[in-house]
Amino acid sequence: MRALRKIMALLLAVALLTGIPVMQGCQKPAETEDITKKTEQETAVESGVPDGSYEGVGQGLNGEIKVSVTVGSGRIAAVEVLSHSETQGITDAAFSRLPDQIVENQSVALDAVAGATYASNGILEAVKNALLEAGFTEEAIMQAVEKPESAGKNIELKADVVVIGSGGAGMSAAAAALEEGASVIVLEKMATYGGNTIVAGSGFNCADYERQSQYEMTTAQRAVIESYLEREPANEWMAVWQEEIREDLEEYDAEGASYVYDSPALHAIMTWIGGDCEADPELVDMLCRNAGDSYLWLTGLGAEWIDGIEAGNGALWQRSHTSTTKYGTSGGCFVEPQRTLFDQLGGQLYLEYRAQELVMENGRVTAVRGVTGAGDTFIVEAEKGVILATGGFAANVEMRQQYNTIWPDLGENVPTTNPSSSTGDGIAMALAVGADLVDMEYIQMVASGNPFITPIITNAVFINTEGERFVKEDGRRDEICSAVLSQPNQYFYYILDTHTTVDLIGGKTIHGFVLDDIIDGENIIKADTLEELARQINVDPETLTATIEEYNSYVDAGDGDPLGRATFGSRIDAGPYYANKAYANVHYCMGGVRINTQAQVLDVDGNVIPGLYAAGEVTGGIHGTNRLGGNSIADIVTFGRIAGKNAAIQ
Ligand code: ADP
């Protein structure tokens, strides 16, 4: 490459002296005219690089980013992104801003856009490669860009309700506060809204007779319910849940019913015991009794779901509503519907406004201070209340290490599914005003791929590198991850067939990619037969086919399996087949700020901190040691709405 550049430099010098145009590397002939008609004099004035279009490639998070750079008068005249596979929404700001900034500054030495670091770096790398290929020197295109001097302004804003964070919890809270007639400001530190929620591939858990009654309940599933009823009630809440389920089941049996039974009480007991009885049962009850209404609210605002009802990864029951990619990503359905209402009702979203401090006056939280992306400071007064909706700290390695007592290691080599925004800022702000924290040591790992096809496990089988199943796929996330970490290579494959990839999810991944476009032979593998799939993942074909045959026999019998799985959908028998390589990733923080059922933040003595509410992953106490897959979305919408409403009606 260096040698090539030297030759090109030489040719350029000759060209400049003689006026002979030089065609280079991946240069395309310039399409139009004006540019090519520039005189050498103009060209020479700038960089000496001949006018034309040049292509370059850079690496994003999910794959290559290809750009075309137009050079005119020896300057960077335009940058166009030709193709990429970055996650929509969260990376949009990088694609909309950087091309113009590069042209404006005639440099690729720019900062990454907050929240879209990989995409930004991929774009900058691609443009740099195109420019180097064109003949620019590194020095010329890497010139330091002068950052606009901050005017050092102090921006002052005011609203009834101020929400910090624009993920699912924040946007639900904001929309709910607006519905109550409050004025609302949302502060978001990143350049795009949506947080971790918009890239989530989760389901929405709630009991739903309409959908669940379409499925037969297996005898193993019935046995699971009975096992909850047989337990000694650990407290009043559990006794109430058990009693409700017993009464329901009497009616169910009297009707001769055989569909998948569910109810808020079953959801609650599973949530509470699924978190080892560590959660606050009152919060669990609030969540599960309101999840159905939250689901209807979100659906009414525009969320769209695939038909039927599935069991999500770690959901423990077939009650996960799986969103479509209507808004680009699966997670779009958990943010965009509220955003639409937010816009309609006049909510104001401030991007690149990083909250740093909650202001207390006379024992009440009255305002938020912070800094903007441009370097100004701000203070936003909240007439009625401030809602913390800043998400978890899965991307903050220091905090992971500080609080983790459960996993052998959550250091920087352990991947996370979360974007870089999940740094636990809200925890620090809440602590500074005396808030209590709860369950901080419970940090969830989830077994998922990158890219991840789907969290649905109803028709999925997990196999290790020997081609064998090693854990019940419908089990708890912590148990699955422990099993993954004890596999020789600490990874495994989700095996899926067309029943899931096409029939259920319509050939798109959780991030909205067309599945067949991103088959890479390593993380996502596709084959017409199981034997061929086995060969591609270096597993003995006979072992894999025997594993799947055995699994199919359990599907047929509907009576559980030796690993203890109770949830079975279709047989795995419809090619093409897919394998999705998956690891244990840091995924979710069960711990956080302590709240009551009204989403008010409590101090270390259990008293309400006036004016302060919290919702979503920044809170603790709702999930105990282990959150059920699909409960997070139900949580952020439910407690987001509670927080928004209560703050607004203060
Ligand atoms: P949840 O699921 O609880 O809604 P998310 O992670 O989806 O959580 O959203 C949290 C949002 O809060 C993210 O968009 C994140 O960038 C934003 N955020 C985090 N810390 C701050 C902060 N200090 N100031 C403003 N926004 C913040």
Side-chain angles (χ1 to χ4, degrees), residues 14-26:
V14 172
L16 287 173
L17 287 173
T18 59
I20 302 166
V22 180
M23 299 293 286
Q24 304 175 25
C26 57

Side-chain angles (χ1 to χ4, degrees), residues 167-370:
M171 292 313 293
S172 298
L178 285 157
E179 279 180 321
E180 294 298 326
S183 60
V184 177
I185 284 179
V186 174
L187 305 171
E188 169 54 57
K189 70 178 174 182
M190 296 310 213
T192 46
Y193 64 92
N196 185 24
T197 310
I198 212 162
V199 290
S202 185
F204 190 123
N205 284 352
C206 63
D208 182 339
Y209 170 80
E210 293 274 313
R211 288 175 184 249
Q212 288 164 321
S213 58
Q214 296 167 26
Y215 298 84
E216 283 292 299
M217 183 153 72
T218 64
T219 51
Q221 282 174 314
R222 177 68 190 240
V224 168
I225 301 178
E226 298 298 342
S227 73
Y228 286 109
L229 300 180
E230 280 157 17
R231 293 172 73 127
E232 257 318 290
N235 58 25
E236 272 169 43
W237 292 98
M238 185 166 159
V240 168
W241 297 328
Q242 285 174 320
E243 199 40 43
E244 273 186 42
I245 299 165
R246 277 194 201 101
E247 280 174 15
D248 275 2
L249 282 180
E250 263 173 37
E251 273 182 38
Y252 174 97
D253 289 337
E255 277 170 23
S258 60
Y259 56 82
V260 172
Y261 167 80
D262 202 6
S263 65
L266 182 64
H267 186 187
I269 203 167
M270 287 180 139
T271 299
W272 195 60
I273 292 179
D276 295 317
C277 314
E278 287 283 318
D280 177 343
E282 215 178 338
L283 294 176
V284 172
D285 194 72
M286 192 70 164
L287 167 66
C288 299
R289 293 205 189 277
N290 288 284
D293 191 49
S294 304
Y295 164 78
L296 293 176
W297 180 74
L298 197 63
T299 308
L301 295 182
E304 187 181 83
W305 316 93
I306 65 171
D307 290 341
I309 196 153
E310 303 299 322
N313 177 335
L316 305 187
W317 203 246
Q318 202 168 341
R319 65 164 72 89
S320 311
H321 300 75
T322 308
S323 56
T324 68
T325 49
K326 168 183 178 183
Y327 296 102
T329 58
S330 299
C333 278
F334 312 140
V335 176
E336 301 289 2
Q338 303 95 308
R339 173 72 207 260
T340 306
L341 183 65
F342 178 85
D343 287 343
Q344 281 165 3
L345 297 181
Q348 294 174 66
L349 172 64
Y350 287 83
L351 294 174
E352 293 183 278
Y353 271 57
R354 178 186 297 272
Q356 293 176 310
E357 186 195 347
L358 300 170
V359 179
M360 283 281 248
E361 271 174 51
N362 303 322
R364 182 182 176 86
V365 174
T366 55
V368 182
R369 279 187 207 282

Side-chain angles (χ1 to χ4, degrees), residues 169 172-173 282-288 294 387 595-599 614-616 619 622 633-645:
S172 298
E282 215 178 338
L283 294 176
V284 172
D285 194 72
M286 192 70 164
L287 167 66
C288 299
S294 304
I387 301 172
I595 54 165
N596 61 18
T597 53
Q598 297 311 305
T619 66
I622 300 171
I633 305 303
D635 167 0
I636 60 180
V637 179
T638 300
F639 282 100
R641 288 177 77 199
I642 292 173
K645 182 174 178 187

